[in-house]
Amino acid sequence: MLALPHPHVPLQASGGAALRARALQAYLLELRAVLQPYAPIPPVHLLVLDETDWKARTRHPYGFPFQRTSLREGLYVFVPARYPERLLWRLREALVPAARQLGEPLGQVEEFLDINLGHEYAHAVAVAWQLRVRVRWVDEFLANYLFLLALHQARPELYPEAKRWGRWLAALAPSQPSLGSYEGRARTLTDQLWFQGRFTTEAAELVEARGDGLLRGLLAAAPLGRSTVHKLLVSLEPSLREWFAGFAPRRR
């Protein structure tokens, strides 16, 4: 294991993954540079691991980047040293309906996963800023918003790609499009991707229309409360009311 101490994004990498790990570390540091002026961000540990090292540290299935975050135990982002082919094929297969609907060639799924690492980093930032409320859809939406807000400034050449992928995912057909279903039942891969697409496209609209206005309001209200966060979001951004209504089950 390669260990590279750093005050902001400490890094550990499996053998052979050093170049990839350094590139991902640099990417997260660029996002951090945009977000840090709003409020302090403690170190977020980046682990770029092969399958053996991954399985020695977590039971999470190998392949999908994820975060393990706690103010008490630390903030960690896990990334595979190499995306397994079984994961890439699953994602390509799930995205075929979107390709048919949009009439566009499918991009490189690996690029999407690497760009979206910023979303996992944003989860860690949200925990540090006491914006996590443990309502899954709220936490996912806010992570998308923080990620796109940072990406828009830090890597403007990647921002349109993140939006494009959000549009692709939002073109999928979920089995149940209600926010309640996102909370309370097992979700298919298509369902998970569709919700992320909807969260991404709405977050992008907020970033482009109001910049950091929502973030400043959230930080002023932190720590956020589980029972009041919906009302807070609508009070800070009234346009969200109509967006929320779009997730309501259709009446027959």
Side-chain angles (χ1 to χ4, degrees):
M1 289 286 292
L2 171 68
L4 294 175
H6 191 281
H8 308 313
V9 183
L11 172 65
Q12 294 183 58
S14 297
L19 289 178
R20 169 169 166 76
R22 288 177 185 273
L24 294 175
Q25 180 190 49
Y27 173 51
L28 296 186
L29 286 170
E30 289 177 301
L31 300 181
R32 180 189 183 277
V34 175
L35 296 173
Q36 192 276 333
Y38 291 100
I41 302 174
V44 178
H45 299 259
L46 175 63
L47 292 85
V48 183
L49 307 175
D50 61 25
E51 192 162 4
T52 299
D53 289 334
W54 182 288
K55 290 182 176 179
R57 289 163 175 78
T58 178
R59 295 182 179 179
H60 196 89
Y62 184 70
F64 265 119
F66 77 101
Q67 40 77 32
R68 178 184 291 162
T69 47
S70 164
L71 289 179
R72 178 181 300 177
E73 299 177 4
L75 308 173
Y76 296 85
V77 175
F78 287 70
V79 190
R82 179 178 178 274
Y83 296 113
E85 281 299 318
R86 61 184 180 272
L87 169 64
L88 300 179
W89 276 108
R90 281 188 68 204
L91 288 171
R92 292 187 190 112
E93 184 179 37
L95 286 167
V96 166
R100 292 172 177 165
Q101 178 177 330
L102 297 176
E104 298 177 3
L106 182 63
Q108 295 297 316
V109 176
E110 300 94 319
E111 294 179 7
F112 160 65
L113 292 170
D114 276 355
I115 292 172
N116 209 50
L117 177 61
H119 169 88
E120 303 302 331
Y121 179 77
H123 272 296
V125 173
V127 170
W129 289 350
Q130 297 184 289
L131 302 182
R132 174 176 283 181
V133 295
R134 298 199 179 279
V135 176
R136 289 176 182 172
W137 73 262
V138 174
D139 292 336
E140 290 298 322
F141 172 65
L142 292 184
N144 273 286
Y145 169 71
L146 291 176
F147 161 48
L148 291 174
L149 181 67
L151 189 69
H152 189 257
Q153 298 181 52
R155 296 291 299 272
E157 77 282 8
L158 291 181
Y159 179 80
E161 282 299 295
K163 281 184 60 179
R164 186 177 70 87
W165 279 104
R167 184 166 58 86
W168 268 80
L169 302 182
L172 296 172
S175 61
Q176 175 53 264
S178 71
L179 292 174
S181 73
Y182 191 77
E183 294 297 304
R185 61 186 288 270
R187 299 177 299 279
T188 67
L189 177 60
T190 295
D191 288 345
Q192 295 178 59
L193 295 174
W194 180 81
F195 276 105
Q196 285 299 327
R198 289 294 308 276
F199 297 157
T200 297
T201 53
E202 179 64 17
E205 288 188 17
L206 289 178
V207 167
E208 293 169 22
R210 293 201 49 210
D212 63 2
L214 178 60
L215 174 57
R216 292 184 181 277
L218 293 170
L219 289 173
L224 304 187
R226 182 186 179 99
S227 62
T228 58
V229 66
H230 186 279
K231 182 177 180 180
L232 173 66
L233 287 171
V234 172
S235 69
L236 293 173
E237 183 49 69
S239 67
L240 287 174
R241 188 185 304 276
E242 182 178 354
W243 184 66
F244 292 147
F247 289 94
R250 295 179 180 177
R251 297 180 178 179
R252 296 182 179 179

